[in-house]
Amino acid sequence: MMDSVFSCWSGMRNRALSASGSSRSRAMKYQQSRSLSALGSGNFSVNGRVDRLLELLSEGLSGRPSEGKAKEVPSGSEELYAFWATFAALDLRSLLDVVRWTAKDLAELQEARRRCLLATRPFVLVLRLLLEQWEANLLHSRKGSSLDQKAAAAACLATQWDLLLSVQRILGRLSNTQPAFANLAWEIPARRERYLAQARSFQLLAALLDHGDDRRGVDMASECRGLVQRLIAAQHIVPRPW
């Protein structure tokens, strides 16, 4: 029994070290993206142009264009950071001064909102991993005889760590510091709560943007200004590390 316990801890440590090593080269990219949002909004001016908003949201997204179109949504944690850091740094207030709105402006604002909603999907997966899968793992670990409790507890922690590593691959590392393997009973729930806080912020952001069809039927200028106001409000929801 004790051999299985030690095996779980050893395997968990090896997986963590492997993941941290493979992502070490990406840490600098993460930090560069984070520094954008740390400066606050207003770093990238759209100059009152809605098409400029879409251009800026597309910057930093790698990969080949599809059918001649620019890439629309981020793929991978680096691009996810870059997308939301750029979004948070946009100066959208100049769009509130637009006097004459066009159908093209409305379509581009709706497209910007759609891209933001698509970029919140990774956080939905994170919530499923850290809530549904986490709880299922806890329930499974409580089954069995008391003689297997130590082995079950070690296996439970190993599965929890694997779930955190899966989330890390989606959202990136929380910091460049190595996990405290000597105190994983504290380290695991602390990291989980930080990831949950990020995911819930974007869940709120998605709810705000997804509730944007109630202005249909009003005049075009009001609908455009309403979308701009929602995008500005969404900027203030983006959590600080992003």
Side-chain angles (χ1 to χ4, degrees):
M1 180 189 302
M2 290 305 296
D3 289 341
S4 63
V5 174
F6 288 131
S7 177
C8 282
W9 283 104
S10 178
M12 181 162 46
R13 185 176 186 277
N14 290 337
R15 286 194 295 271
L17 288 175
S18 175
S20 63
S22 63
S23 61
R24 190 171 300 157
S25 62
R26 300 195 295 266
M28 294 302 292
K29 294 181 181 179
Y30 295 163
Q31 193 62 36
Q32 183 178 6
S33 296
R34 288 171 178 170
S35 65
L36 293 176
S37 57
L39 295 173
S41 63
N43 295 292
F44 298 137
S45 176
V46 299
N47 298 318
R49 293 171 44 205
V50 182
D51 60 332
R52 179 61 178 155
L53 165 60
L54 292 180
E55 289 175 7
L56 289 169
L57 288 179
S58 295
E59 289 182 3
L61 302 185
S62 61
R64 295 181 178 179
S66 175
E67 298 179 357
K69 298 180 181 179
K71 189 174 180 180
E72 299 177 353
V73 294
S75 58
S77 56
E78 296 98 330
E79 289 192 3
L80 194 63
Y81 270 113
F83 179 91
W84 286 114
T86 299
F87 175 76
L90 291 173
D91 183 3
L92 301 178
R93 291 168 295 181
S94 63
L95 294 176
L96 295 174
D97 298 328
V98 175
V99 177
R100 298 182 61 181
W101 293 94
T102 67
K104 180 175 180 290
D105 292 331
L106 177 58
E108 288 175 339
L109 284 171
Q110 291 172 336
E111 174 63 13
R113 186 187 68 168
R114 186 185 73 87
R115 293 188 192 182
C116 288
L117 285 171
L118 288 175
T120 64
R121 288 184 178 178
F123 300 96
V124 176
L125 176 58
V126 166
L127 287 173
R128 291 190 62 181
L129 290 172
L130 295 183
L131 294 176
E132 297 176 21
Q133 295 296 319
W134 199 275
E135 184 61 26
N137 175 53
L138 288 175
L139 290 175
H140 179 74
S141 68
R142 291 168 185 157
K143 297 179 181 179
S145 66
S146 59
L147 296 176
D148 299 327
Q149 284 184 351
K150 287 186 177 181
C156 181
L157 279 179
T159 301
Q160 289 176 343
W161 191 254
D162 281 342
L163 288 171
L164 286 175
L165 290 180
S166 296
V167 171
Q168 179 177 298
R169 293 186 185 98
I170 298 170
L171 301 185
R173 299 180 63 184
L174 289 168
S175 67
N176 293 330
T177 59
Q178 293 294 331
F181 291 106
N183 196 14
L184 280 179
W186 175 88
E187 184 86 27
I188 287 176
R191 286 174 177 255
R192 175 178 180 253
E193 286 303 316
R194 291 177 65 186
Y195 277 127
L196 278 174
Q198 290 182 3
R200 284 167 174 155
S201 293
F202 284 99
Q203 184 182 41
L204 177 61
L205 186 152
L208 170 67
L209 293 180
D210 200 30
H211 191 61
D213 294 332
D214 55 351
R215 300 185 65 89
R216 292 183 182 274
V218 301
D219 63 279
M220 184 180 300
S222 296
E223 189 170 354
C224 288
R225 281 193 293 268
L227 283 169
V228 172
Q229 289 167 349
R230 286 182 186 276
L231 290 170
I232 292 175
Q235 286 182 305
H236 293 283
I237 300 177
V238 177
R240 193 68 176 176
W242 292 75

